[in-house]
Amino acid sequence: MRSRGSDQARRGRGSFARAAHPGHGTRSRYQGPQNRPFPTFSPHVRPEQLRENEFWRHWIELTVRVNNLPRPTSDSKISTLDLFKLFEKAGNIAKIEIHEDDNGVQTGRADVTFMPPPYRPIWLEQSFGWQMPSGEKIQLQLERLDQKRSFNHRSPVNHNRFYRERLFIKACSLDFCIMVNRDQMMSMRSVTGSADHPIILLLNLLRRELVVYFDINMITPESGQSQSQQYKFQVPLQHVHTIWRRTLQGNQMELILPLEIPPRFFRRHDEIESTHELGSRFWREENAWFRQTDIAYDLGEIRKAPCTLRKRNAEIDIGRWTTYKIVFDEKRFHAGDGFAITEALSDYNVRLLDPGPLRRVERRVFSGWDFIDISTKYHLALDDKESKAVYLPFAVRYQLEVCLSQGCLSEFNITNEFVHRLSRLKEREAVRRLEHVADLGQRFFEPMKMFELYPRPSPWNRLPKHLVLTRTVLITPSTIRFSSPAVETSNRVVRHFLGYADRFLRVRFADEHHCGKLFSSGDNSQDALYTRVKRCLSNGIQVGDRRYRYLAAGNSQFREHGAFFFAPTPDLTIEDIRTWMGNFDHIKSVAKYASRVGQCFSTTRAINSASVTVKRLDDIERNGFNFTDGVGMISRFLAQSIAIELDLPDASEDPPAVFQFRLGGSKGVFAVSPLARGREVHVRPSQEKFLASHQGLEIIRWSSYSPPQLNRQLILVLTALGVSPDTFLMKLRSQLTSLERAMYEPEYAIELLQRKVDPNQTTLNIANMVLDGFMRQNDPFTISVLRLWRAWAVKQLKEKASIDVEKGAFVLGCVDETGILKGHFDIVQEPHDISNDDVLQTLPEIFLKIKRPETGGRHETITGVCILARNPSLHPGDIRVVRAVDVPALHHIYDAVVFPQTGDRDIPGMCSGGDLDGDDFFVSWDPTLIPQEWNHPAMDFTGLKSDEVSQVKEDDITSFFVNYMRSDCLGIVATHHLANADRLIDGVKHPRCTQLAELHSVAVDYPKSGKPASMPRELRSSKFPHFMESRHRPKEQIYQSNKVLGKMYDAVMRIDFDPIYDLEFDERILTAFEPDLKTILDASQLKMQYDSAMRRIMAQHDIATEFEVWSTFCMQHAKLSNDYKFHEELGRLADALRASFRLAAEEAAGGKDFNTIAPFIVAMYRVTAEDTAKLIREHRMSGKSSNLQAHERPLISFPWVFQRELGKIAKGNDGTRRSSKPQPVLSEKVDTDGRAVTVSLASEGIKTPDSVSTTETLNSGDSLVRKAMTSHSDTGSQPLIEFLDDSERGKQSSENQSSAKSMEASIDESIALSAADALQTNVPQAKDAFGQPHYEERQTAYNSLNKSDQHHPRADTKKSNGTCNTSDDNTDFTRCNGARTGSSFEDRQNQTPMLTLLPNQSNTETLSDEGTAVDETDVREVEVDFDDEPSALEKLEAFLAKHSRAP
């Protein structure tokens, strides 16, 4: 009878399941010094089989403590390599740690961890000794340590079920594949396992990832010899949604792992000794695994080539062959950990499904690349019919590579026929179709079906002057990901060379998609990644016939590993652009050179309304400190002009007092001053960086009030200076209570939103929305945004301890030009009672006047004791205690803190090394935050001197770019400072923390100084508090923090954000106006464009919902930049989106004044409401779950680009519909049976006789039947406009030609021809691909009603002087070729009108005037101008006017 323990082991559910790694109790495959990661797969050892003293053999890992190591001397010191060599024959060493005391001195102890446990109990042996340099041998004392933690993981589904931390199984083979169809998989490369080179599937539950180990025999080009290389790839479980599992013949089974995102690949280094860092206390087995970008025979050939999506010499294309087939022996799979692995995967929400009739196909010789790469020596000769590759215009080729790189299309599905048809389309239409495919984000296994889609219009038809469309590309270790052009704020260079805007490329280097920014590893394990970056910078990026080359990197771009590339032309080279940018020859420091060039690429708004007069002004320097570093002056007149051009509120009466700017080669801030007159700006030497021919003024941002927030670093420093921890806990509880209260009390929500102003000032917009009554009306968008705001604020509290400070400000800084304020003097300042006037007089002075929203915009001058800081503050001297005073001579400056120009040392420089060229400062006058210790000695922030070269070359700049990526340890320093400050008793005052603070300052200055910060191992923390969340950190390295940050973390519970769609839209807006039919259709057309643009932003930055983009309160993003920077970047994107679509809406409405635009805004709101209601209805009728999935959610932010105007409409509506003239309007309601939707065409002031019915019935769901405005006569009724659904289309197929003729006889031939063209796709397929069928209805109606205003492709018309003529206003247009003359429009009104829109197949033939079939591709090339023709809408309105009686 099987015991319970053995049964648990068999099922993989007990705590004694099986050992997590091979090699238990045997040395059958020990490989000696190679120290292989998976040396053996021995029979599993069950607990009942172990002798009493060998229970340790079933452990996951075992740690041996080594005592009595020799103490270090000046000549020798124990290294991890010494210990590795000593114990490598005992088993697989996973990690080594040498113990040191707090002074960094070795204690004579070390821990060596084996995974799995060693082959024998070495702690019982006496054979391990240490040979001293003198020849003396010291006997080491070994002891086995007990397990520090349980290596069992509780199932997230069944809490009575446990899995071992590491589950593994040996495989027979591994195939790297691609999916070429839903039921076809093409194997590109196969690897077979063997006894010496096994293939292993490992499930690591600690790191929540799957790992596959495999070997490949590679032939080196130098020697021509075959050599086995060990590789592995890691797949986070969050990237795995489905695994296909099926049984094969021959007692085999397979798991197929289809991935959308390439995993991370590693190669095991052959020389383990080189992975041990000299002087390091730590070594881990992971140090021997090096990241890979390519698996190829000849890496040298790859390094010479430009970066391309197509990899020609890859043995395995790790970035694109992302479907993995792993074959197992079925008996071994079930006897081993196979069952436990599948059970655990299922518990972690990975579906294991039968793939059905999935078959394997052989690798094809040719791919789509062979049909589009025309000028390449690699192009293979095909037969005569297929030997000619097709040239695609660059815009089409680029967008095709967007679809390929994003996995929407595959090169192995692209055929010659597809490429030829794509080439025959007009360039704009081809691009739009490909953009549509990319926007859908779905895989098209049959690319020809792309031509059945109705192409959406471009989302960026018109842009404000300060915006520009930019192509972007993400370079990852394994592949390239291109993005569709997106809008962003322009910079000086792109504006000047606007005619070449499409030749600029914004490039960012990052980890694999969804994996975030590339972080420095601190060693050489990522050298392959940096080699790839250097290759891109040096060799360029090839797209079609264009090669983009490195141009420069903006300063913010540089920190986020981004750059601008440019594709040169014969008349504009990269050198031409750099020459125009300015003269940089005098700069000999590579870092400063790169920084100055990058200055031209700052995101700015050009000021065109006012020229400037530049005057020079001296800097104020004393004791080696610059008190005016980066600050100049500007006249109030210029400030007003700038504010007016930027359309800022109160531009004339109350313009901003400080502007961050670029002016030629100068940068910094300008503060308003009465000393500057007229158009003057006063510039100081510290602001002048280089000489530039461009002298236009550009604005980056301007001063505004933002409430400050505490963060973890500030809280740690303030606590160390004597602020009670209870102060922060009390503020935290108060803030959580306030957020909850704001969800139910509109008045309090307004108050809180006005207090908690974010940098993008979104909370002020939300406060206005609540003030306008949208919260009380339960408007779904407003309620969703409020819920998001609360969830985001709680997330900030949990992860960053972002506590709002009501008595404070976060503002720009400038200098006191009057010299009145008293500065800092180097005298001893004791922490006495702050009421003591003598003590107060020793404090340096600042001036601060703010304009807070909650005070109604009233100016308020702050006085009294304040604390002053910058972010980040790591040193106890970074927070300064100052005194705010009222200086009437400075009252013209508000929403900025004014610093003194007197004293021994400048105050900004004492705050984390700040200056006045655009830094923000934290100021608080909250008495509870004033520390007991005042003005701890500030750190010395003197920067390191840069290395210089005789002449800076491009190779120097690109090498510096790569070295910065390799050596940037800013994040690592901050992480270990936080951990040490929490754990050590002295906190931030501990010497280890102050050293880390100094290193942090060096790391911050690295982009300017070129001097990297070197992070010593002894400064790294070995323990981390629980609030520093990390899924991958072993539990033994985590401790429960009982200090203030730990308590704050535990006090906050996360809140998930779920948008609400099933609330009723605001009737105040819906009933405010009666937009006419054309306005409704125009708004619907614009919404399609807006939704497309919004989805692009969401996809590009991995943002889940539109609410996060609109508000900039982002819960999750791609982590390509830190949260603060991304908040700024997203704010610019959201502003650009709003600005461009406001402009488009104003043009569609015919003006921007309120009376003109208001009806159009109502139409935008109504269209959004109708789309949302229909989608929710269809979702409910489909029987799906109540919650909408991400891809099912409608987009409802469209009308809120006019947030202020919506509020004005809502407050001004008395509940009655308004219309300036009788207009038809569409409204819809659900019938009682819940299945049909009745759409009524009604109008105020139009009397419809009994002979005219205005009812339209639209079946919800898949039906496209729409019958509108039925005209009744004595002989019966006949629809004026009729949409035939797909089910009726079969019955009507024989009537298509007669229907077209009836249309021609009714209203107009041009409308009939438009109708025949209106639906260019198979409806069900289009709806499946389109995702939102309600768009199709309005899109079709829009095209049919407006087609006659456009150039119709099928009209057999010849131009006469470029225009077709009409006889008079009441006569239909005359065909220019004289084929026929139309009858009077008035006469035709007496006929029974009918218009049928036919959803015809893409291959449906249409009839010309002569009744013969016309090829669609041919007639598309005919262009005719019908500008003088009455539009279909005009004819429709004339018909309604005739049958109505005006009041």
Side-chain angles (χ1 to χ4, degrees):
M1 179 177 294
R2 185 185 297 113
S3 69
R4 180 179 179 182
S6 62
D7 186 62
Q8 285 181 332
R10 183 187 65 81
R11 297 197 308 264
R13 296 182 180 180
S15 60
F16 290 91
R18 266 173 300 276
H21 210 280
H24 306 152
T26 180
R27 299 183 60 180
S28 60
R29 282 197 57 244
Y30 171 61
Q31 299 294 314
Q34 286 184 320
N35 197 44
R36 296 178 63 86
F38 35 88
T40 183
F41 272 87
S42 64
H44 296 291
V45 181
R46 294 175 179 170
E48 63 267 24
Q49 296 175 327
L50 298 175
R51 292 190 295 273
E52 183 177 356
N53 61 345
E54 289 188 346
F55 60 90
W56 50 269
R57 291 190 181 275
H58 72 268
W59 289 1
I60 297 290
E61 65 180 33
L62 186 148
T63 300
V64 175
R65 171 69 53 83
V66 183
N67 298 304
N68 201 32
L69 286 167
R71 291 295 182 119
T73 64
S74 57
D75 298 330
S76 65
K77 192 175 183 180
I78 301 297
S79 69
T80 58
L81 180 59
D82 295 329
L83 293 171
F84 182 85
K85 289 180 176 180
L86 183 63
F87 293 102
E88 63 177 336
K89 294 183 179 180
N92 189 76
I93 299 175
K95 55 188 173 183
I96 299 172
E97 178 181 358
I98 299 174
H99 292 223
E100 293 182 350
D101 58 23
D102 291 341
N103 296 319
V105 178
Q106 292 183 358
T107 61
R109 295 193 304 272
D111 291 341
V112 179
T113 301
F114 296 85
M115 184 188 298
Y119 307 128
R120 62 185 190 277
I122 58 174
W123 54 91
L124 301 178
E125 301 176 5
Q126 303 296 320
S127 58
F128 289 91
W130 191 269
Q131 187 76 32
M132 297 293 292
S134 61
E136 179 186 1
K137 187 174 183 179
I138 298 177
Q139 186 67 36
L140 301 180
Q141 298 175 5
L142 308 182
E143 60 175 313
R144 175 183 53 78
L145 300 183
D146 292 335
Q147 290 192 96
K148 300 178 182 178
R149 60 184 175 90
S150 169
F151 288 87
N152 296 316
H153 286 252
R154 188 188 300 270
S155 164
V157 177
N158 185 347
H159 287 187
N160 294 322
R161 179 186 302 170
F162 291 84
Y163 299 106
R164 286 193 331 280
E165 188 174 281
R166 297 163 67 91
L167 300 166
F168 64 90
I169 193 70
K170 182 178 179 181
C172 302
S173 64
L174 168 66
D175 281 42
F176 297 84
C177 310
I178 59 173
M179 297 300 298
V180 293
N181 211 324
R182 289 182 177 86
D183 59 352
Q184 292 182 1
M185 180 175 61
M186 183 184 296
S187 176
M188 308 300 291
R189 177 69 157 85
S190 183
V191 179
T192 303
S194 65
D196 292 331
H197 304 287
I199 297 171
I200 300 169
L201 173 66
L202 169 71
L203 174 59
N204 188 331
L205 292 177
L206 174 65
R207 298 181 62 88
R208 303 287 197 277
E209 66 182 10
L210 284 169
V211 187
V212 178
Y213 297 87
F214 63 98
D215 284 23
I216 291 184
N217 288 323
M218 304 290 288
I219 300 176
T220 58
E222 296 82 5
S223 63
Q225 300 296 319
S226 176
Q227 181 180 0
S228 178
Q229 296 282 346
Q230 301 174 50
Y231 292 90
K232 72 175 180 178
F233 60 87
Q234 300 172 341
V235 186
L237 290 186
Q238 65 188 35
H239 294 172
V240 184
H241 307 295
T242 302
I243 294 179
W244 296 326
R245 174 180 59 182
R246 68 177 177 181
T247 302
L248 306 175
Q249 296 180 354
N251 296 323
Q252 289 188 328
M253 65 167 295
E254 66 181 9
L255 296 180
I256 299 173
L257 183 62
L259 298 181
E260 297 178 359
I261 302 168
R264 296 176 178 177
F265 275 76
F266 298 81
R267 178 181 60 83
R268 186 169 175 82
H269 201 283
D270 296 328
E271 299 178 0
I272 299 298
E273 294 184 2
S274 65
T275 66
H276 291 263
E277 185 179 344
L278 185 63
S280 173
R281 296 168 47 208
F282 302 95
W283 181 87
R284 300 182 187 280
E285 186 183 4
E286 288 81 1
N287 295 8
W289 288 97
F290 283 33
R291 283 290 299 272
Q292 296 296 290
T293 61
D294 300 277
I295 298 180
Y297 289 130
D298 191 355
L299 293 177
E301 184 69 20
I302 292 177
R303 290 169 185 153
K304 298 175 184 177
C307 286
T308 58
L309 180 61
R310 181 186 190 183
K311 291 187 176 181
R312 301 182 184 276
N313 299 321
E315 175 69 11
I316 298 176
D317 190 340
I318 63 177
R320 296 186 58 74
W321 303 348
T322 56
T323 297
Y324 307 95
K325 186 183 76 168
I326 311 173
V327 178
F328 303 90
D329 179 275
E330 188 174 15
K331 291 183 179 179
R332 183 177 295 174
F333 184 87
H334 292 297
D337 282 342
F339 182 81
I341 288 175
T342 56
E343 288 279 291
L345 288 172
S346 179
D347 286 355
Y348 282 94
N349 200 32
V350 177
R351 297 178 301 170
L352 286 96
L353 305 175
D354 189 315
L358 179 66
R359 58 192 181 90
R360 180 179 179 273
V361 297
E362 294 300 322
R363 180 173 179 175
R364 296 173 187 166
V365 178
F366 304 116
S367 71
W369 295 114
D370 299 304
F371 304 125
I372 59 177
D373 285 344
I374 59 175
S375 56
T376 167
K377 64 182 180 180
Y378 298 97
H379 181 66
L380 302 175
L382 308 176
D383 59 50
D384 292 340
K385 183 179 178 181
E386 297 182 333
S387 61
K388 295 181 180 179
V390 178
Y391 173 78
L392 296 176
F394 176 77
V396 180
R397 171 63 185 262
Y398 175 85
Q399 199 60 39
L400 179 59
E401 295 211 21
V402 171
C403 295
L404 289 168
S405 68
Q406 296 185 11
C408 302
L409 298 175
S410 169
E411 59 267 37
F412 291 97
N413 292 124
I414 291 179
T415 62
N416 204 6
E417 178 188 5
F418 171 84
V419 176
H420 276 84
R421 182 163 182 183
L422 189 65
S423 67
R424 287 197 297 267
L425 295 178
K426 291 182 179 179
E427 180 178 329
R428 185 176 180 182
E429 182 182 354
V431 171
R432 283 171 55 186
R433 287 186 181 273
L434 290 168
E435 285 180 347
H436 190 179
V437 170
D439 290 343
L440 291 174
Q442 300 174 0
R443 175 69 183 274
F444 280 67
F445 290 105
E446 300 178 44
M448 293 299 292
K449 288 190 175 182
M450 182 192 82
F451 299 106
E452 299 177 7
L453 293 177
Y454 194 91
R456 288 185 182 181
S458 171
W460 311 113
N461 287 329
R462 288 294 306 276
L463 295 175
K465 293 182 179 179
H466 67 282
L467 302 178
V468 65
L469 276 178
T470 303
R471 294 187 173 100
T472 59
V473 58
L474 185 71
I475 307 290
T476 71
S478 66
T479 188
I480 298 179
R481 186 179 177 89
F482 296 97
S483 295
S484 299
V487 67
E488 64 179 31
T489 306
S490 60
N491 56 61
R492 176 190 306 178
V493 178
V494 174
R495 279 194 298 268
H496 183 78
F497 297 100
L498 198 58
Y500 299 86
D502 70 322
R503 304 190 77 87
F504 288 91
L505 188 68
R506 180 187 278 272
V507 179
R508 180 171 272 175
F509 299 94
D511 212 332
E512 301 299 349
H513 191 47
H514 293 290
C515 294
K517 186 177 177 181
L518 270 176
F519 291 99
S520 172
S521 62
D523 53 29
N524 59 349
S525 63
Q526 296 189 153
D527 279 1
L529 277 60
Y530 304 125
T531 300
R532 175 171 168 82
V533 174
K534 176 63 175 176
R535 169 191 161 200
C536 289
L537 295 171
S538 299
N539 302 344
I541 301 170
Q542 190 80 31
V543 184
D545 58 355
R546 286 190 188 179
R547 181 175 296 193
Y548 288 90
R549 294 191 175 276
Y550 173 79
L551 176 60
N555 294 328
S556 296
Q557 266 188 308
F558 181 83
R559 294 181 185 274
E560 304 301 335
H561 306 165
F564 270 102
F565 280 52
F566 182 79
T569 67
D571 57 333
L572 184 64
T573 65
I574 289 178
E575 194 56 40
D576 294 336
I577 297 176
R578 290 177 180 158
T579 300
W580 173 85
M581 287 161 55
N583 184 359
F584 308 97
D585 293 342
H586 64 288
I587 304 174
K588 305 301 181 184
S589 164
V590 176
K592 285 186 178 179
Y593 189 102
S595 177
R596 300 304 176 236
V597 171
Q599 194 173 307
C600 300
F601 289 87
S602 299
T603 301
T604 58
R605 294 278 300 272
I607 302 302
N608 302 310
S609 61
S611 58
V612 300
T613 301
V614 179
K615 289 193 172 183
R616 263 61 186 181
L617 194 67
D618 290 336
D619 275 307
I620 300 173
E621 298 180 278
R622 191 180 306 111
N623 302 329
F625 300 105
N626 190 335
F627 290 73
T628 56
D629 188 6
V631 62
M633 291 184 280
I634 190 172
S635 69
R636 178 177 172 80
F637 171 78
L638 267 181
Q640 290 172 322
S641 301
I642 294 169
I644 291 171
E645 182 168 346
L646 296 178
D647 196 24
L648 302 181
D650 301 325
S652 299
E653 296 77 12
D654 212 4
V658 179
F659 296 89
Q660 188 177 12
F661 76 96
R662 297 289 187 267
L663 178 63
S666 302
K667 59 170 287 194
V669 301
F670 284 139
V672 172
S673 173
L675 300 177
R677 303 175 182 274
R679 298 177 180 272
E680 288 180 358
V681 293
H682 295 189
V683 180
R684 288 187 162 96
S686 61
Q687 298 179 291
E688 296 176 322
K689 306 302 180 182
F690 61 91
L691 297 177
S693 57
H694 180 276
Q695 289 298 316
L697 179 62
E698 301 165 321
I699 300 300
I700 298 176
R701 61 189 181 118
W702 46 90
S703 57
S704 62
Y705 167 82
S706 290
Q709 289 184 322
L710 295 169
N711 54 40
R712 287 175 171 176
Q713 289 84 5
L714 285 172
I715 290 172
L716 285 174
V717 175
L718 287 171
T719 304
L721 295 177
V723 177
S724 171
D726 292 338
T727 298
F728 305 107
L729 291 169
M730 181 177 62
K731 290 182 180 296
L732 172 67
R733 296 188 189 101
S734 174
Q735 188 167 337
L736 290 172
T737 303
S738 298
L739 289 169
E740 187 66 24
R741 180 182 171 189
M743 294 298 103
Y744 305 99
E745 299 181 23
E747 291 77 11
Y748 188 75
I750 295 170
E751 177 188 343
L752 191 61
L753 286 161
Q754 290 179 340
R755 287 206 315 261
K756 291 172 56 65
V757 183
D758 64 296
N760 292 319
Q761 300 193 341
T762 303
T763 57
L764 297 182
N765 293 333
I766 303 175
N768 288 331
M769 292 160 63
V770 178
L771 187 63
D772 293 334
F774 290 105
M775 181 179 177
R776 292 190 183 277
Q777 294 292 327
N778 276 335
D779 172 79
F781 182 80
T782 303
I783 298 300
S784 294
V785 169
L786 279 167
R787 289 162 61 96
L788 171 62
W789 167 64
R790 179 183 63 162
W792 179 78
V794 170
K795 178 177 184 288
Q796 297 296 104
L797 285 170
K798 182 77 171 178
E799 297 178 0
K800 303 180 184 299
S802 299
I803 297 178
D804 294 322
V805 180
E806 295 184 12
K807 297 180 179 180
F810 190 65
V811 289
L812 285 167
C814 62
V815 74
D816 169 26
E817 300 288 355
T818 67
I820 295 175
L821 295 175
K822 184 181 66 177
H824 164 83
F825 292 92
D826 294 328
I827 60 175
V828 178
Q829 299 172 359
E830 298 293 340
H832 299 301
D833 183 359
I834 63 173
S835 63
N836 189 317
D837 290 340
D838 293 337
V839 175
L840 293 179
Q841 293 303 316
T842 66
L843 294 177
E845 296 173 342
I846 62 169
F847 174 80
L848 178 63
K849 185 168 74 168
I850 57 175
K851 186 172 68 173
R852 290 191 283 184
E854 64 264 33
T855 63
R858 187 184 74 253
H859 288 203
E860 175 186 4
T861 301
I862 305 302
T863 58
V865 176
C866 303
I867 59 171
L868 179 75
R870 278 182 67 247
N871 287 326
S873 293
L874 278 66
H875 190 273
D878 286 344
I879 296 181
R880 315 304 300 170
V881 179
V882 297
R883 184 163 65 102
V885 296
D886 186 2
V887 179
L890 298 176
H891 277 194
H892 58 279
I893 298 179
Y894 72 97
D895 288 345
V897 57
V898 184
F899 292 101
Q901 58 170 271
T902 62
D904 295 331
R905 182 176 177 180
D906 65 299
I907 296 175
M910 303 169 75
C911 299
S912 307
D915 54 32
L916 298 178
D917 71 347
D919 287 356
D920 292 297
F921 293 86
F922 172 103
V923 187
S924 175
W925 50 97
D926 187 336
T928 64
L929 295 180
I930 305 301
Q932 296 180 14
E933 179 183 352
W934 290 7
N935 293 333
H936 187 96
M939 195 169 70
D940 182 7
F941 292 97
T942 305
L944 301 175
K945 187 177 180 180
S946 303
D947 294 331
E948 295 186 350
V949 295
S950 58
Q951 182 180 1
V952 179
K953 299 179 181 178
E954 182 176 302
D955 185 66
D956 298 323
I957 299 174
T958 56
S959 295
F960 174 62
F961 189 105
V962 176
N963 288 333
Y964 175 78
M965 291 183 64
R966 184 200 306 267
S967 306
D968 178 25
C969 61
L970 185 64
I972 297 174
V973 173
T975 296
H976 287 276
H977 179 275
L978 179 60
N980 280 308
D982 182 82
R983 184 171 63 91
L984 300 173
I985 295 178
D986 294 334
V988 296
K989 292 183 177 181
H990 191 280
R992 185 175 294 180
C993 290
T994 56
Q995 291 180 59
L996 285 167
E998 293 172 359
L999 273 179
H1000 192 273
S1001 176
V1002 173
V1004 168
D1005 286 341
Y1006 182 18
K1008 297 180 181 179
S1009 68
K1011 297 287 187 179
S1014 178
M1015 176 74 173
R1017 292 282 181 177
E1018 58 267 17
L1019 295 183
R1020 295 176 182 261
S1021 178
S1022 58
K1023 302 285 185 180
F1024 297 88
H1026 71 288
F1027 61 79
M1028 295 182 67
E1029 301 170 333
S1030 176
R1031 294 184 308 155
H1032 301 154
R1033 192 167 286 139
K1035 292 182 180 179
E1036 65 267 20
Q1037 293 184 5
I1038 300 173
Y1039 68 92
Q1040 183 74 23
S1041 172
N1042 295 318
K1043 292 188 178 179
V1044 59
L1045 293 182
K1047 293 179 180 179
M1048 290 175 63
Y1049 178 86
D1050 294 338
V1052 181
M1053 298 296 292
R1054 296 184 187 275
I1055 298 177
D1056 294 330
F1057 168 61
D1058 291 313
I1060 298 179
Y1061 296 101
D1062 55 358
L1063 297 176
E1064 295 293 331
F1065 280 69
D1066 196 333
E1067 284 292 327
R1068 298 176 304 164
I1069 307 296
L1070 295 174
T1071 61
F1073 289 94
E1074 296 291 2
D1076 59 31
L1077 183 58
K1078 183 178 185 305
T1079 301
I1080 290 286
L1081 295 174
D1082 284 343
S1084 180
Q1085 180 84 350
L1086 195 60
K1087 185 178 189 299
M1088 292 171 57
Q1089 300 174 33
Y1090 174 88
D1091 289 356
S1092 178
M1094 174 63 77
R1095 291 188 190 280
R1096 286 187 189 181
I1097 295 174
M1098 292 164 58
Q1100 183 177 358
H1101 298 281
D1102 296 336
I1103 300 173
T1105 68
E1106 62 177 325
F1107 306 96
E1108 294 165 77
V1109 176
W1110 187 91
S1111 66
T1112 69
F1113 301 145
C1114 193
M1115 301 294 288
Q1116 295 289 341
H1117 58 90
K1119 297 297 182 184
L1120 298 179
S1121 54
N1122 63 52
D1123 289 344
Y1124 181 78
K1125 285 291 184 184
F1126 184 71
H1127 191 70
E1128 287 184 342
E1129 181 181 349
L1130 189 58
R1132 289 193 294 268
L1133 287 173
D1135 287 342
L1137 184 71
R1138 282 190 284 266
S1140 59
F1141 281 93
R1142 282 182 68 97
L1143 178 63
E1146 289 164 0
E1147 289 186 350
K1152 60 191 301 185
D1153 61 282
F1154 180 76
N1155 290 334
T1156 302
I1157 194 67
F1160 194 87
I1161 297 173
V1162 171
M1164 295 166 63
Y1165 192 84
R1166 184 176 299 182
V1167 164
T1168 303
E1170 292 172 356
D1171 290 347
T1172 305
K1174 180 174 181 181
L1175 192 146
I1176 292 175
R1177 268 196 313 273
E1178 294 173 350
H1179 180 79
R1180 289 173 177 170
M1181 294 175 63
S1182 67
K1184 297 180 181 178
S1185 62
S1186 58
N1187 293 327
L1188 291 168
Q1189 300 300 313
H1191 66 279
E1192 299 174 321
R1193 293 171 178 170
L1195 297 185
I1196 65 174
S1197 63
F1198 171 53
W1200 293 96
V1201 300
F1202 289 98
Q1203 173 256 316
R1204 293 180 184 176
E1205 290 81 357
L1206 279 171
K1208 189 174 180 179
I1209 294 170
K1211 291 192 295 185
N1213 186 13
D1214 58 3
T1216 61
R1217 296 175 183 262
R1218 291 169 287 176
S1219 177
S1220 57
K1221 61 180 181 179
Q1223 301 285 1
V1225 60
L1226 290 174
S1227 61
E1228 59 180 332
K1229 63 180 180 179
V1230 182
D1231 283 347
T1232 55
D1233 62 359
R1235 298 179 59 189
V1237 180
T1238 298
V1239 182
S1240 299
L1241 182 70
S1243 58
E1244 182 180 341
I1246 294 183
K1247 304 296 184 180
T1248 56
D1250 294 339
S1251 61
V1252 178
S1253 169
T1254 58
T1255 301
E1256 171 186 10
T1257 301
L1258 168 64
N1259 291 339
S1260 61
D1262 292 338
S1263 177
L1264 286 178
V1265 178
R1266 173 174 290 183
K1267 298 178 180 179
M1269 297 172 289
T1270 305
S1271 174
H1272 294 270
S1273 63
D1274 295 338
T1275 58
S1277 62
Q1278 188 176 18
L1280 173 66
I1281 299 179
E1282 180 180 19
F1283 280 62
L1284 299 181
D1285 70 357
D1286 199 48
S1287 62
E1288 296 180 42
R1289 183 160 50 84
K1291 296 182 292 182
Q1292 296 289 340
S1293 60
S1294 62
E1295 304 174 9
N1296 284 356
Q1297 296 183 6
S1298 60
S1299 297
K1301 291 180 180 179
S1302 68
M1303 287 188 289
E1304 178 181 357
S1306 57
I1307 296 182
D1308 191 275
E1309 180 180 335
S1310 67
I1311 301 180
L1313 291 170
S1314 299
D1317 245 358
L1319 292 177
Q1320 300 188 19
T1321 178
N1322 176 295
V1323 175
Q1325 293 174 348
K1327 286 163 63 178
D1328 290 341
F1330 210 96
Q1332 297 189 7
H1334 48 281
Y1335 281 158
E1336 299 174 359
E1337 303 167 18
R1338 292 204 183 95
Q1339 176 68 27
T1340 304
Y1342 181 87
N1343 290 337
S1344 65
L1345 289 174
N1346 293 280
K1347 200 77 168 184
S1348 55
D1349 289 333
Q1350 303 171 2
H1351 298 172
H1352 198 280
R1354 285 194 174 89
D1356 183 15
T1357 306
K1358 298 179 180 178
K1359 293 187 178 181
S1360 175
N1361 296 326
T1363 309
C1364 289
N1365 300 320
T1366 59
S1367 56
D1368 58 67
D1369 293 339
N1370 292 326
T1371 303
D1372 191 16
F1373 71 94
T1374 304
R1375 295 267 181 184
C1376 296
N1377 62 356
R1380 71 174 177 89
T1381 301
S1383 59
S1384 168
F1385 179 49
E1386 184 176 351
D1387 293 339
R1388 289 206 308 277
Q1389 288 180 350
N1390 297 323
Q1391 304 173 10
T1392 301
M1394 175 179 175
L1395 174 61
T1396 304
L1397 303 183
L1398 303 172
N1400 55 318
Q1401 295 277 9
S1402 60
N1403 60 352
T1404 299
E1405 293 182 341
T1406 58
L1407 297 179
S1408 68
D1409 288 340
E1410 293 75 24
T1412 57
V1414 180
D1415 188 290
E1416 184 181 41
T1417 57
D1418 294 333
V1419 298
R1420 287 184 181 280
E1421 300 176 359
V1422 180
E1423 295 187 7
V1424 184
D1425 194 345
F1426 289 132
D1427 287 343
D1428 295 332
E1429 174 199 357
S1431 71
L1433 183 62
E1434 292 170 342
K1435 299 169 186 177
L1436 196 58
E1437 291 178 337
F1439 171 81
L1440 292 173
K1442 181 174 181 178
H1443 290 279
S1444 65
R1445 294 189 298 271

